[in-house]
Amino acid sequence: ALFMLGLGAGAVLASKWAAAARPGPAESAKVMAGIMLLVSASAAASLFLFPAAAAGRAGQVLLAAWLGWTGLLCGTILPLGLRALARHPAGRAAGWLNAGDYLGGAAGSVLMAAFFLPLLGTRNSLALLALAALAAAAALAIAARTATGESRP
């Protein structure tokens, strides 16, 4: 429930920021890349939070805060994604983002439950998740550079 609450709060915050700042597609992609770096760090931090949660009340509070924080970060992606795809008709952009969200969530759930958790265990699966978020951040950073015409690192 805290993750879902974070998703909604993140979407509201990102929408308000985007309405005020009016970022272009490249700037939106750069912001999304930064957010995905934070998601990667959050996933890596979970490697330490889950054992702490088992140790007592303070760890459980930290884990609850982590769930809300991670949800907030993830909730920013769809509103910013719409800005990043501003060159496309709004309906098409929203449809592709929504489809990607649902299909990615479904595929990720199946892969995690059927393959990664049984084969790798929880800690290694969380590490893999952190690496996937890091790869997404890199892809978004490259897309932002391409959109602005930058080619140097």
Side-chain angles (χ1 to χ4, degrees):
L2 290 174
F3 182 83
M4 298 302 285
L5 182 63
L7 283 175
V12 168
L13 290 173
S15 295
K16 287 184 182 245
W17 175 81
R22 299 187 138 338
E27 186 180 353
S28 295
K30 285 179 185 177
V31 171
M32 290 170 61
I35 289 169
M36 289 309 295
L37 281 174
L38 291 173
V39 169
S40 179
S42 183
S46 71
L47 295 171
F48 304 100
L49 288 176
F50 283 109
R57 187 67 144 185
Q60 292 170 353
V61 170
L62 277 174
L63 183 60
W66 173 82
L67 284 168
W69 167 249
T70 305
L72 183 121
L73 292 172
C74 293
T76 64
I77 297 300
L78 286 177
L80 292 172
L82 282 173
R83 289 285 182 166
L85 296 174
R87 294 184 190 114
H88 303 282
R92 179 174 292 162
W96 280 108
L97 284 170
N98 213 20
D101 184 36
Y102 291 150
L103 293 173
S109 296
V110 169
L111 287 171
M112 191 59 74
F115 297 105
F116 296 129
L117 285 171
L119 294 173
L120 302 176
T122 302
R123 288 185 61 80
N124 290 333
S125 295
L126 287 169
L128 182 64
L129 183 62
L131 288 174
L134 192 59
L140 286 163
I142 290 167
R145 291 182 86 87
T146 302
T148 59
E150 297 176 32
S151 58
R152 297 184 344 203

